[in-house]
Amino acid sequence: MKTIIFDSSTLINFAINGLLQEFRELKKLFDGKFLITREIVGEIIDKPIKIKRFELEALKLKELITDRILEMPSALGIDENKISKKTNEIMNVANNTFFGQGNAIHIIDVGEASCLALSRLLNEKEIKNLISVDERTVRLLCEKPENLFAIFQKKLHTDLKFKKENFRNFKEFKFIRSTELIYIAYKKGIIQLRNHQNVLDALLYAMKLNGCSISDDEISEMKRL
Amino acid sequence: MQEKENVLRILQETKAAIRDNDSLKLKELSNQTIHTASIAQDPDNIAVAVAVYSLSKIVERKEYRTFTGWENFYKNILFAVDNSIIAIRKNDDRKLKESLMSIRKSVSKLSGKLKGYIQDVFRKAEINKASKIYEHGISMEKTASLLGITMFELASYAGQKPDGEAPLSKTIDVKTRIKTAMDMFK
């Protein structure tokens, strides 16, 4: 069994760009499960469904669950209570890692932490998994926390500290972004566009401009692969 | 509230800038609030950041002054800023909270087109300040929750801002990440 865990940021990106059909096609190609946590359901469906401007996207995302494109962790026998417990543990460590002006800087919230918690539980069960997250903070915290600290230093102009021993708590996680997923969709020929010369460019920039943390240089490199 | 001295100065300068119709000064003051708002994440610091930025936009748009209700709105805003200053000086957190809230509430007392325009200004100010806090390294979800906006709003706004920290945001080379993704789809 293998799984991809989805953070709100990736799903919102596909929804805003009108690429949920392509998302469904990606699932058909994937011999495993696309998972989301209860906390992410709150972010992508329960809250936006009450706002007229985002009601349609929320309904379309809800359909993904109804159609079992996205599944809850219980589909793999993972207990919600265990996720909640691990989520709190992860939030507690993450939000007590960087300090400024005598305060612990709260860097992540419950949805993002729940993705890490689910990944950790899957790792314990030796189930291969990736987390798809478009926003940069969680990815930086896990992949290069020194860079996150450098951003704080550059932006906050104050005396900052970090607990280096906490960094190892986040080393086990592996990440992709919506840009890698749409790249695969393009390469597998499931994009519903005629083969114009600039389709990949358009797809990657659409993802970037709706919140995927990817640089222009990275996009150029992806196009050359 | 954190950094009261700094916030007191910002509010005093805000009052003068409103009187001088100096939107640039207000924008600059609003930027000064964002570091503390990012670190402390205190609702009052965030309320000041949003209010000062909204006021910069309101002062900038001279046409608003021709709408019915402007005079009262203007007076109410100055009154609320004054009360916030007094509350900080007296170290009265409850009063400060009320005064900051009354800046926002003064919008609900408006009617007609002006009400709609100014509500929109405050909403966009929340999204703008959220994107600034996200730029400072706080996660998207955490930021959205602090400002009371949805991640849908923040994602598209933040995505359209130039990423000055792109080199620091790159953690793994492109080929490796693509390979990781591709391997999962084998």
Side-chain angles (χ1 to χ4, degrees), chain B residues 16-63:
Chain B
I18 296 171
R19 288 208 161 127
D20 296 342
N21 293 319
D22 189 347
S23 63
L24 285 176
K25 177 71 181 173
L26 286 165
K27 211 165 279 179
E28 183 197 313
L29 289 168
S30 150
N31 288 338
Q32 291 172 22
T33 59
I34 214 67
H35 304 321
T36 305
S38 300
I39 297 172
Q41 298 172 11
D42 173 87
D44 294 340
N45 285 100
I46 291 170
V48 171
V50 171
V52 177
Y53 186 80
S54 302
L55 292 171
S56 79
K57 290 286 170 194
I58 291 165
V59 165
E60 189 179 65
R61 293 171 191 170
K62 294 188 174 69
E63 67 273 19

Side-chain angles (χ1 to χ4, degrees), chain B residues 45-100:
Chain B
N45 285 100
I46 291 170
V48 171
V50 171
V52 177
Y53 186 80
S54 302
L55 292 171
S56 79
K57 290 286 170 194
I58 291 165
V59 165
E60 189 179 65
R61 293 171 191 170
K62 294 188 174 69
E63 67 273 19
Y64 289 175
R65 292 171 211 169
T66 61
F67 285 97
T68 314
W70 168 260
E71 290 294 327
N72 270 341
F73 174 72
Y74 185 80
K75 268 186 218 160
N76 288 338
I77 290 287
L78 279 177
F79 186 66
V81 173
D82 261 338
N83 281 342
S84 303
I85 292 169
I86 294 166
I88 295 181
R89 281 190 185 133
K90 286 186 176 168
N91 222 2
D92 186 341
D93 285 348
R94 192 180 57 81
K95 182 82 182 159
L96 174 63
K97 212 174 273 295
E98 282 172 14
S99 304
L100 290 171

Side-chain angles (χ1 to χ4, degrees), chain A residues 6-43:
Chain A
F6 287 91
D7 173 52
S8 315
S9 52
T10 299
L11 295 168
I12 286 171
N13 210 335
F14 272 88
I16 292 177
N17 277 306
L19 290 167
L20 290 179
Q21 188 51 44
E22 284 77 1
F23 187 84
R24 285 169 180 267
E25 297 298 323
L26 272 171
K27 176 64 179 66
K28 282 183 197 162
L29 295 175
F30 186 67
D31 182 23
K33 290 192 184 295
F34 282 1
L35 295 181
I36 55 168
T37 63
R38 194 175 51 192
E39 291 77 6
I40 298 298
V41 173
E43 282 297 326

